[in-house]
Amino acid sequence: MTTRRTVASVAALGIAPLALTALAASPAAAHGSMTDPVSRVSACFAEGPESPTSAACKAAVEASGAQAFYDWNEVNIANAAGKHREIIPDGKLCSAGRDKYKGLDLPRADWPSSELGAGKHTFRYKATAPHKGSFELYITKDGYDPSKPLKWSDLESEPFAKVTDPKLENGEYVFDGTVPNKSGRHLVYSIWQRSDSPEAFYTCSDVTFGKDGGSAAKAPEAEAPSGDQIDAGADKSTVDHSGHGGDHAEHGTQHQEAGAAEPAAPQDDTGNAPEANGAAEPAAATGTELAETGGDSTTPYIAIGGAAALAVGAAALFGSVRRRATAGGRHSR
């Protein structure tokens, strides 16, 4: 009887390392939005979801409701896996094809905008839940008409800025890029693709080149939300930075938990639905300078190493118990 209880206890110990390993490998949620140049959703959140001041943000809140702007840092698709053009239909780039954020797709020339010039520029992306991944920034082609729905073909074919695992400063990803020579009103489209998950985030930032800025006379200057505004709006946000809960289930955007089934691919009426996607390969750890939720780059390996040590100890103990049980059986004969 004693032997059976001992074996059962050892078996339970054998399961513990597996549980620790799963916890160590569990991905954390990533959330954020472009703040330089200021994204549409950031600008409207900064104006106040309940009482925006610009005509464009008022129209966006009327179309989407205030909650979409309290959830300003979650314009995402959970299983994008790099298939952005296949998943997001034309005319819905700014909302990432999510009905919740449809107000961001309104075609109009008076969205709050940021001044931008050709040449080197330092970009900033507020990361309310940072994680490893890559950023790509696209700009609209010459002749872009903001009064028409934004299509993929309106963007230049290649990103003008691209970076992997940029540095994190004061809660913002900071990286440089060279802006092409443009004039008038344009739009910068960003894609943040996580490297440890298929999840991706999207933003539209309205920008003006030159003093006249094309239609700049009708568009107010965009402002990014302050830290105080972000803190004040947190209680009204449905975004859960632990990666669970919130309004992630809409449009197939729920986050994956460790061991959970992969979410269904988003569907739309245009035939743009993606194929089933697998998770991207995790980026190799390169040091603590890379932003990572839940510890530095050594954390998962320490946890897994500890779990492995427990597994070896449990196996040795289990073998010892079996040998004693066998020997006891021989002596009793």
Side-chain angles (χ1 to χ4, degrees):
M1 190 71 173
T2 302
T3 299
R4 288 199 195 97
R5 283 199 299 268
T6 304
V7 171
S9 299
V10 173
L13 282 174
I15 295 171
L18 298 177
L20 288 174
T21 302
L23 287 173
S26 178
H31 297 95
S33 193
M34 186 72 73
T35 52
D36 186 358
V38 185
S39 66
R40 287 180 181 177
V41 70
S42 295
C44 293
F45 171 67
E47 289 186 17
E50 305 294 342
S51 55
T53 56
S54 67
C57 287
K58 287 179 180 178
V61 170
E62 184 177 349
S64 294
Q67 189 59 54
F69 297 93
Y70 284 117
D71 297 344
W72 61 280
N73 54 351
E74 197 208 20
V75 184
N76 71 338
I77 295 178
N79 59 344
K83 298 186 177 182
H84 317 294
R85 293 175 185 263
E86 295 144 270
I87 293 174
I88 304 174
D90 281 340
K92 297 184 179 181
L93 275 66
C94 298
S95 67
R98 296 184 60 181
D99 187 66
K100 174 179 178 177
Y101 295 104
K102 61 185 178 182
L104 298 174
D105 292 318
L106 295 177
R108 49 193 305 147
D110 60 347
W111 281 102
S113 60
S114 305
E115 288 188 15
L116 195 62
K120 183 179 178 180
H121 185 85
T122 299
F123 297 90
R124 296 181 180 274
Y125 197 105
K126 183 67 176 179
T128 54
H131 217 74
K132 294 179 181 180
S134 61
F135 291 83
E136 292 184 348
L137 271 57
Y138 296 81
I139 196 164
T140 45
K141 297 176 180 177
D142 294 341
Y144 162 66
D145 185 353
S147 65
K148 296 180 180 179
L150 181 68
K151 305 188 299 295
W152 286 105
S153 60
D154 292 326
L155 303 176
E156 298 285 3
S157 58
E158 297 295 329
F160 68 88
K162 186 174 183 178
V163 64
T164 299
D165 298 327
K167 61 184 178 181
L168 189 69
E169 293 181 355
N170 299 319
E172 291 183 319
Y173 283 116
V174 181
F175 54 94
D176 292 332
T178 302
V179 181
N181 189 27
K182 297 284 182 179
S183 63
R185 190 173 182 87
H186 281 273
L187 183 143
V188 172
Y189 190 69
S190 79
I191 300 173
W192 177 18
Q193 175 65 65
R194 291 176 60 179
S195 57
D196 58 352
S197 161
E199 182 181 35
F201 287 77
Y202 308 87
T203 69
C204 283
S205 298
D206 297 275
V207 298
T208 56
F209 289 80
K211 291 295 181 182
D212 59 355
S215 59
K218 297 186 295 181
E221 182 179 355
E223 294 186 7
S226 67
D228 288 342
Q229 287 175 315
I230 293 174
D231 291 342
D235 289 343
K236 295 185 178 180
S237 173
T238 64
V239 176
D240 183 349
H241 291 177
S242 68
H244 313 297
D247 191 23
H248 297 196
E250 185 264 331
H251 196 70
T253 57
Q254 61 271 36
H255 287 284
Q256 289 178 268
E257 301 181 35
E262 185 162 321
Q267 300 296 323
D268 59 74
D269 299 327
T270 64
N272 261 348
E275 298 175 358
N277 299 320
E281 284 292 323
T286 58
T288 57
E289 72 278 5
L290 298 178
E292 182 169 314
T293 303
D296 62 27
S297 58
T298 62
T299 302
Y301 305 104
I302 292 172
I304 293 170
L310 282 173
V312 171
L317 182 56
F318 186 83
S320 176
V321 170
R322 290 188 63 185
R323 285 195 297 273
R324 283 199 294 270
T326 303
R330 287 198 299 268
H331 292 318
S332 65
R333 292 175 186 173

